[in-house]
Amino acid sequence: MPARVVVLGGGVGGTLVANLLDKELGRDVHVTVVDPTGMHDYQPGYLYVALGQAKGHWLSREERSLLRPGVDLAIEEAIRIHPDAGSVQLARGSNLEWDYLVVATGARLVPDQIPGLVDGSFEFYSLAGAERLGQELRRIRGGRIKVGIAGIPYKCPPAPIEFTFMVDGYLREHDLRDRSEVELLSPLNRAFTIESASKLIQPIMERRGIGLTTFFNVESVDPSAHTVESLEGEKQEYDLLVLVPPHEGAEVVKASDLGDASGWLPTDRATLNVGGYDNVFALGDATDLPISKSGSTAHFEAPVIASRIASLVNGTAPKTNYGGRVMCFLETGDGRATSLRFDYEHPPIPPKPNRAWHVAKWLFNRLYWETVPQGRLPERAPFTTPKEVTS
Amino acid sequence: MSSTIAKLLDMRGFSCPLPIARTAQAIRELSVGDLIEVHATDPGSVPDFDAWCTTTGHELVERTEADGVYRFVIRKAR
């Protein structure tokens, strides 16, 4: 009998693990992907939708079209995981049994956690939010634009900075920059968590006249007074407020008592096993690992999980470990970008922003559908491998 | 002024800015003069807590390091 693998979540990580396992093990495995919508969304595109540079319908495809024919897809909501019994309960009543479980349920936005956030601010972390922000940007004629972070951890750490650079470019293009203020409200004492990247970014912000307020962890928004307040006790006025909403892990993780208070799964940093179970794995945004929540993280974790499950199915000891590899693009506006490539041991050394990385990000956004979910972008390709650095 | 720790925050294994953000959150619930103790493993938390205390006015009472764990004791100032 083939080994039964259930993958919860049809995002980057879940889809790639499913396809790699099917490719690697063939008839020795039966993989079922469980996803509540059956649609696969390319979330990095939302930023571009907000700036009017991409259309929403480019960013979504049917999950079925991205899975190998041998992989089953159940368009169902998982409501409870039973790790000891080796099963998962689905919303419509059936119970799916597994020998190996991969939890790739991602993160969800919980905007209600911050008082006033829903009515007082805009976001680009959902397609609907990005479209609404795009309409607002086209409507405004200048003013005080504040960009902040309303909860940590959040997906794609560079995104708020990219947004400030891109909105600066947008305002210049529309002759509105003189009538506008653009300011980043950072939760830290610098623009970005990673110090080397911050050193590169802050001088560019200065040159563009983008303001920086440090230690601003958003606590509440007052939509009628147009003010935002921080946990540190500072209050700022705004005309347009763009906030990254707070994130939490999936409902099913919380309902199954497998996660921490915020629903992130306690995950081994090397083996990606969850909560001490040898046959349960997690990847991508769903984990509690102290690394970026991003598609690229899931992309690099997926082959590790596929390889470990393949070894277990074949009766050998799993050898492949995750080294913490992440790769991010960071748009700095004016058609330039830099890249952050790093792992657990090596902090990134971002190159000076240039045309090439901007084009690479643009290309990647377009090639994504035909490469990443299928595992066609080799893990060791020069494009994705971090530059060897000596610390 | 109290000399016992009112709250202990274990942020080992988390990288910045999470330790700062959680401390900012936790300190709201304390009374002025209360002490909060934070454990962290990210070396970046040392300059971060220095700067955060300077900015917010809270007092960094103690900072020690043992076996790669940084221990911060902060007194709520306002």
Side-chain angles (χ1 to χ4, degrees):
Chain A
M1 199 172 103
R4 298 162 303 176
V5 179
V6 167
V7 179
L8 300 182
V12 189
T15 307
L16 183 52
V17 170
N19 282 337
L20 290 174
L21 277 172
D22 185 69
K23 194 150 104 186
E24 173 88 18
L25 291 171
R27 282 158 193 254
D28 293 335
V29 73
H30 178 243
V31 186
T32 306
V33 173
V34 178
D35 188 88
T37 66
M39 296 304 290
H40 187 107
D41 298 322
Y42 184 65
Q43 301 176 36
Y46 298 163
L47 177 66
Y48 297 88
V49 170
L51 273 304
Q53 297 173 9
K55 300 265 183 246
H57 67 264
W58 298 351
L59 306 176
S60 196
R61 289 202 189 176
E62 285 191 18
E63 173 68 4
R64 183 65 265 172
S65 70
L66 302 170
L67 290 171
R68 289 167 62 90
V71 176
D72 274 350
L73 173 66
I75 302 179
E76 281 248 35
E77 193 186 347
I79 54 170
R80 202 174 167 98
I81 299 162
H82 300 286
D84 294 310
S87 69
V88 58
Q89 200 178 325
L90 304 179
R92 276 184 243 156
S94 60
N95 222 23
L96 206 54
E97 293 188 342
W98 44 263
D99 302 304
Y100 303 95
L101 179 72
V102 180
V103 189
T105 42
R108 68 198 168 95
L109 307 177
V110 283
D112 293 336
Q113 283 188 356
I114 300 286
L117 184 141
V118 174
D119 294 329
S121 72
F122 289 82
E123 52 95 3
F124 54 90
Y125 273 68
S126 65
L127 182 54
E131 285 173 341
R132 200 174 140 252
L133 173 55
Q135 283 164 10
E136 184 66 7
L137 274 178
R138 281 192 292 280
R139 197 188 63 77
I140 60 164
R141 288 281 158 268
R144 293 159 298 181
I145 301 173
K146 308 275 165 113
V147 181
I149 292 150
I152 291 166
Y154 63 96
K155 288 183 276 192
C156 191
I161 292 168
E162 295 187 283
F163 181 78
T164 61
F165 284 137
M166 288 166 76
V167 87
D168 168 75
Y170 174 90
L171 294 166
R172 284 175 201 282
E173 211 175 291
H174 291 81
D175 289 326
L176 295 170
R177 191 61 179 93
D178 294 344
R179 284 185 257 167
S180 314
E181 271 174 40
V182 179
E183 179 151 356
L184 179 71
L185 311 175
S186 169
L188 259 191
N189 62 336
R190 50 184 178 268
F192 191 57
T193 45
I194 299 167
E195 204 162 359
S196 58
S198 225
K199 280 190 181 140
L200 187 88
I201 290 160
Q202 281 180 218
I204 306 175
M205 290 177 66
E206 257 168 57
R207 276 205 299 280
R208 304 259 174 85
I210 297 171
L212 173 66
T213 295
T214 55
F215 288 129
F216 199 99
N217 286 286
V218 173
E219 189 189 32
S220 64
V221 179
D222 186 337
S224 47
H226 280 239
T227 55
V228 53
E229 205 169 337
S230 72
L231 285 165
E232 285 81 5
E234 195 180 336
K235 198 182 268 188
Q236 290 235 4
E237 295 182 342
Y238 66 84
D239 295 302
L240 173 64
L241 180 64
V242 181
L243 290 181
V244 177
H247 291 40
E248 276 199 352
E251 297 269 19
V252 62
V253 170
K254 291 190 117 178
S256 311
D257 291 327
L258 284 173
D260 62 18
S262 300
W264 309 120
L265 286 158
T267 308
D268 186 282
R269 73 206 293 265
T271 66
L272 303 175
N273 279 119
V274 171
Y277 293 96
D278 288 342
N279 57 347
V280 181
F281 298 84
L283 78 167
D285 299 344
T287 76
D288 72 343
L289 294 175
I291 47 173
S292 302
K293 295 204 179 294
S294 82
S296 115
T297 304
H299 179 192
F300 291 125
E301 289 167 333
V304 174
I305 294 180
S307 160
R308 293 190 76 89
I309 293 179
S311 298
L312 292 165
V313 169
N314 290 328
T316 58
K319 282 203 237 21
T320 318
N321 283 331
Y322 178 58
R325 189 190 301 175
V326 178
M327 189 270 177
C328 297
F329 297 102
L330 199 160
E331 294 273 14
T332 53
D334 288 350
R336 287 169 206 276
T338 182
S339 69
L340 305 171
R341 288 165 289 170
F342 53 104
D343 59 33
Y344 288 141
E345 308 299 330
H346 305 98
I349 302 177
K352 197 166 166 262
N354 58 35
R355 246 352 253 172
W357 281 109
H358 172 71
V359 172
K361 179 163 188 181
W362 183 86
L363 263 176
F364 184 85
N365 286 341
R366 267 150 194 77
L367 293 175
Y368 172 80
W369 297 108
E370 316 300 334
T371 55
V372 175
Q374 298 81 0
R376 286 194 191 120
L377 204 59
E379 210 203 330
R380 288 277 161 201
F383 183 56
T384 57
T385 308
K387 199 158 69 179
E388 291 305 321
V389 288
T390 46
S391 45
Chain B
M1 238 190 254
S2 160
S3 58
T4 53
I5 304 294
K7 169 120 189 137
L8 178 69
L9 205 58
D10 183 4
M11 296 308 298
R12 285 174 298 171
F14 291 98
S15 46
C16 274
L18 210 54
I20 289 282
R22 290 285 177 270
T23 305
Q25 232 161 28
I27 213 161
R28 300 279 291 196
E29 331 244 294
L30 305 183
S31 316
V32 171
D34 279 354
L35 294 176
I36 180 169
E37 180 170 334
V38 187
H39 296 176
T41 42
D42 180 358
S45 58
V46 175
D48 287 348
F49 273 102
D50 274 349
W52 186 77
C53 287
T54 310
T55 309
T56 57
H58 299 305
E59 184 194 352
L60 184 58
V61 180
E62 211 179 314
R63 184 182 69 213
T64 53
E65 192 252 317
D67 299 329
V69 178
Y70 302 92
R71 196 178 133 266
F72 304 90
V73 179
I74 295 162
R75 189 186 302 279
K76 179 166 170 148
R78 53 179 176 80

